[in-house]
Amino acid sequence: MALMENCVFCFRGFKDDKLTELIKFVQEKKGGLAKAPTSKVTHLVVPDVANLPKLTKAAQKKKIIDEEGLKNMSTTPKTMSTASFDAASATAAKPDPTSTSDNSATS
């Protein structure tokens, strides 16, 4: 089974030439395509997860990845999470990398 066989992708924010390239890539990997983020769409692909285009509520519920995440996904499923974005948790505060994981109170 191809890695993208059970995935349906919807693209947002790409220029025509890049969009055509990515569509061909997904088709070669046996992935599905959708014009809109319907309930069957599993992944929304955007040019840059840090600068998301305006998304509908339906689109925000999808796994959001960028081009790199899409291409990594075709080689190994575990690398997909490194370039993915969860829109639902976008407003959550990022953990402070300088803090320790020790939650014990100090006296």
Side-chain angles (χ1 to χ4, degrees):
M1 174 169 75
L3 291 173
M4 293 185 175
E5 192 171 298
N6 294 323
C7 298
V8 178
F9 299 91
C10 179
F11 295 91
R12 288 290 184 258
F14 289 97
K15 298 207 184 270
D16 288 342
D17 55 336
K18 179 54 82 173
L19 180 60
T20 302
E21 173 190 331
L22 294 173
I23 287 172
K24 286 180 183 178
F25 178 79
V26 168
Q27 289 172 331
E28 289 171 2
K29 303 294 182 183
K30 308 294 186 218
L33 298 166
K35 291 183 179 182
T38 64
S39 61
K40 294 186 186 243
V41 171
T42 58
H43 296 79
L44 182 67
V45 185
V46 297
D48 182 6
V49 294
N51 297 306
L52 290 175
K54 189 172 185 176
L55 301 175
T56 63
K57 286 185 180 184
Q60 292 174 8
K61 294 178 182 177
K62 307 300 177 191
K63 182 120 183 127
I64 301 174
I65 60 175
D66 59 14
E67 180 181 353
E68 179 183 346
L70 177 69
K71 292 190 175 179
N72 285 342
M73 186 177 166
S74 71
T75 57
T76 174
K78 293 187 179 184
T79 60
M80 180 180 63
S81 63
T82 61
S84 65
F85 177 81
D86 181 5
S89 65
T91 58
K94 292 183 180 180
D96 183 1
T98 60
S99 68
T100 63
S101 60
D102 183 12
N103 291 333
S104 61
T106 57
S107 41

